[in-house]
Amino acid sequence: MNTKYTFKPDEICPVCGKTHSTAVKETYIKDGAINDLPLLVKKYNATRAFIIADVNTYPIGGERIVNVLEAAGIPTSRYVFPDKRLEPNEKAVGSLLMHYDHKCDIIIAFGSGVINDLGKYLSSLTDRTYIIVASAAYMDGYASGNSSVIRDGVKVTLNSKSPDVIMGDTDVLKSAPAHMAKAGLGDMLAKYISITEWRLANLINGEYFCEDVAAYTRSVREACVAAAPGIPARNGDAIATVFKGLVDAGMAMDFAGSSRPGGGGEHYFSHLFDMRGLEFGTPVAPHGMQAAIGTLYSIKAFEALKKVTPNREKALAYARSFDFEDWSNKLREFLGKGAEAMIALEAKERKYDLDKHRARLDVILEKWDDILAVIDEELPSSTEVEALLASIGAPKSIEDIGMDKSILPMTLMATKDIRDKYILSRLLFDLGVLDEVAAELGK
């Protein structure tokens, strides 16, 4: 497994020939970092700050940010979302826009996933400098130039902008609830699947892939795995390592120009869990924990795939017998109204087109040994992942996060319809074994 990379940001990559860059201007991680916010505000030539938080994060950091800035003579305005469980939907975006103070020339948010997604989106709409002060080492979206939001009941990714500054105050990060850093490590474990699927998409569809960006992502992931023993005790250095890894993994997506280094089918498990929670009120867990569970079951599905002997006629018959209308009704039953956008996406993708399927299958059969080699090179065993999760006291099964194992088969099958991205479930479909591998997960 290669963790050595040679590219330098903003220079031509010696491996792929592209220039890898990120819009993040600086990462600021230290004890007491919040006390330095006035210096950063002045550094970016700002005079008035707009503070974003919610009722959960404002008392543990948002209020301190306001006090630090105003004590330094920097006036502030603020919007504190009243929601105890904030969703990044149309209501939240509209509320934030309506409360934004246009006299402010810098936006500072205190929070993690949802708050950051909303802050990035507001910053992109207002063209203001944006600082995210992390409330926890929680997920890898801090650096991303996109915002994950809920539109018409479906999780979608919208172009926004990367933060100009990502701040991690180690005093804050290690004081966050213990499950936060565990979720952060879970989001880093997802990079096992994302890199594997990225390489497979390159092999099968000729999708752009850069080994240097993959090596960069592996290096930050492995640093986080090495730091795992310090997480249960909230060791400051360990949690700072996980936080930096999450930020760096987010920048890897900028370097690649896509979300490929950061997430794939394992993240779609999490998206589907969230969609079911919104529609049916079923349990949901922190994103990183759901991504870790998605990683574990994706690895189990890859392990099942390795036992498959490809059969051309079986695969062609499977594709011919696929009934999209019947499948659409199953998606509606599983997800409710959130299924409609996924169903509509097929009109543009045409992933079930028989000619397209046949062309992919020809490549898969030709490169089967290469596909198996990628899986062997990139993935730990499911037993190893379970042991790592157990060692930090993190959930290691879908039941551990309050969900029923019976939803696993449909979850795996539905991942292929979330985005226009070639992932494990699409490979299983192309081989005509998706139903049987999915059924194995539910046992």
Side-chain angles (χ1 to χ4, degrees), residues 3 24 28 35 44 63 80 87 98 114 138-139 144 150 152 156 172 192 242 255 258 263-264 316 328 356 363 379 408:
T3 59
V24 177
Y28 201 95
N35 296 326
Y44 288 93
E63 186 175 20
V80 179
E87 298 288 356
M98 292 178 72
V114 173
Y138 185 54
M139 50 90 220
S144 168
I150 298 166
D152 298 329
V156 298
V172 172
Y192 286 116
V242 172
F255 294 150
S258 78
L316 292 173
S328 298
K356 288 186 172 185
V363 177
L379 295 180
L408 278 172

Side-chain angles (χ1 to χ4, degrees), residues 262-291:
E266 81 297 325
H267 268 62
Y268 297 168
F269 275 74
S270 182
H271 291 337
L272 291 164
F273 295 157
D274 288 342
M275 290 168 68
R276 283 178 54 82
L278 283 168
E279 183 72 17
F280 305 121
T282 52
V284 293
H287 165 75
M289 287 184 177
Q290 293 186 161

Side-chain angles (χ1 to χ4, degrees), residues 173-186:
L173 298 178
K174 68 185 181 184
S175 298
H179 73 271
M180 295 286 201
K182 295 175 185 178
L185 181 64

Side-chain angles (χ1 to χ4, degrees), residues 159-206:
N159 289 332
S160 53
K161 64 164 281 187
S162 299
D164 296 283
V165 180
I166 301 172
M167 175 176 284
D169 187 320
T170 310
D171 293 332
V172 172
L173 298 178
K174 68 185 181 184
S175 298
H179 73 271
M180 295 286 201
K182 295 175 185 178
L185 181 64
D187 211 347
M188 291 305 300
L189 296 179
K191 284 47 177 169
Y192 286 116
I193 302 298
S194 62
I195 297 299
T196 303
E197 290 180 338
W198 194 16
R199 289 183 65 185
L200 294 179
N202 172 256
L203 270 177
I204 296 166
N205 290 330

